[in-house]
Amino acid sequence: MKSKFLWVITPVLVLIVPVVMFYLYKKNVTAKEKMEQLYQAGLKSIYDKDNIFCAEAQLAFYDSVLKTSLGDAHKIIVARYFKAVTLLKLGKEKDAIEILKPMNERMKTDTDQLAANIAKYLALSYLRLGERNNCIANHSMASCIFPIKGSGIYTDPYASQKSIDVYSTILEKNPDDLESRWLINIAYMTIGEYPGKVPAAWLIPGLDQDTSSYKVNPFVDMAGDLQLTTSRNMAGGVIIDDFNNDGYLDII
């Protein structure tokens, strides 16, 4: 009886096993193909002003608004403001400053939110310009490591000083602006004048001290020693993976 059962079931298994294996294989291949399609679709740039990652499309939109807004003073001011913000996203700090600086001068006595935002983005543009002129163009192993000290202190203080001037005006109007208070302390730190030169009313003490009960040694910037600084930019992160499947880790 047992041998008869095996005689009946064996051909069935011979047929079923390959079918099941083929099904699983096909399912796996289909899943990989689907993932590849999704990945490739994700690589396509969506040139649309509503795409928050496509600043180029946003810039083109605000330029078109400026061309068609002749005579509408308020609309022009708003479009110029958003154009400057977009230029800052694109890493064009000088271009952003050229727009925001005269706007800030004309509106420095205004008390509305737009005037406040223009001042804040002008100060931020100067901070970013200082970072480019020092941490990027004149990089050292201590650059961009908080608290900023030693060789991380800027050798070109111009842009940081400009940001301090703007933040001072902002804080004179609104002493409770915690964001501007934090950033003016950082600006002073970048030029080696924290905490001594920070006005007492705006000083945040202890930023250069380790107050944690857990002592953590700072990271050491090894990029220069590893000759990984040939493509230095304003990006704030790194990805390490074997992207091309050659067995070696790729650093982006």
Side-chain angles (χ1 to χ4, degrees):
M1 186 69 179
K2 183 177 180 180
S3 57
K4 184 177 181 181
F5 173 78
L6 291 175
W7 180 82
V8 173
I9 199 66
T10 300
V12 176
L13 291 174
V14 170
L15 290 174
I16 291 177
V17 172
V19 171
V20 171
M21 292 180 64
F22 177 77
Y23 169 77
L24 294 175
Y25 167 78
K26 188 64 178 177
K27 183 179 180 181
N28 187 41
V29 170
T30 302
K32 287 183 177 179
E33 289 176 347
K34 182 65 176 177
M35 289 175 62
E36 178 66 20
Q37 291 172 2
L38 292 172
Y39 174 71
Q40 293 298 332
L43 293 178
K44 294 179 181 178
S45 177
I46 302 175
Y47 192 82
D48 189 318
K49 68 177 179 61
D50 295 324
N51 177 7
I52 62 173
F53 300 106
C54 190
E56 294 83 0
Q58 296 167 12
L59 186 61
F61 170 74
Y62 295 124
D63 279 336
S64 69
V65 171
L66 287 170
K67 290 179 181 178
T68 58
S69 300
L70 299 178
D72 190 335
H74 180 72
K75 195 172 183 180
I76 290 173
I77 291 172
V78 172
R80 283 178 177 170
Y81 161 70
F82 280 112
K83 178 179 179 179
V85 172
T86 305
L87 286 167
L88 186 58
K89 290 180 184 179
L90 290 168
K92 298 181 178 181
E93 297 88 8
K94 289 183 178 180
D95 293 339
I97 290 169
E98 286 182 7
I99 295 175
L100 293 170
K101 184 178 178 181
M103 292 176 68
N104 186 57
E105 285 295 319
R106 289 195 299 270
M107 301 177 67
K108 61 184 178 182
T109 59
D110 293 358
T111 57
D112 61 10
Q113 189 60 49
L114 178 59
N117 289 343
I118 287 171
K120 283 190 174 186
Y121 270 98
L122 175 60
L124 185 60
S125 296
Y126 277 124
L127 271 183
R128 293 291 300 273
L129 181 61
E131 184 181 10
R132 182 179 296 281
N133 292 344
N134 292 272
C135 295
I136 308 302
N138 189 29
H139 193 78
S140 74
M141 291 185 71
S143 294
C144 302
I145 296 178
F146 187 84
I148 301 166
K149 57 184 179 180
S151 62
I153 294 174
Y154 292 178
T155 57
D156 179 2
Y158 168 78
S160 283
Q161 188 59 61
K162 285 292 185 180
S163 74
I164 288 172
D165 294 342
V166 180
Y167 280 125
S168 296
T169 302
I170 293 171
L171 288 166
E172 285 169 1
K173 288 184 178 180
N174 182 11
D176 296 326
D177 185 341
L178 296 181
E179 176 186 293
S180 295
R181 186 178 173 189
W182 164 262
L183 289 173
I184 198 173
N185 278 263
I186 300 303
Y188 272 107
M189 188 179 287
T190 64
I191 57 177
E193 295 184 354
Y194 173 91
K197 296 291 183 69
V198 183
W202 305 330
L203 175 64
I204 302 176
L207 294 181
D208 56 347
Q209 304 295 323
D210 184 359
T211 59
S212 172
S213 58
Y214 296 93
K215 300 303 177 183
V216 180
N217 293 325
F219 287 105
V220 177
D221 185 350
M222 300 295 295
D225 292 344
L226 296 174
Q227 299 182 356
L228 297 175
T229 57
T230 55
S231 183
R232 190 181 296 123
N233 54 46
M234 297 288 277
V238 61
I239 303 172
I240 303 177
D241 204 342
D242 182 11
F243 291 100
N244 58 355
N245 296 316
D246 62 357
Y248 294 95
L249 291 175
D250 305 305
I251 303 175
I252 297 179

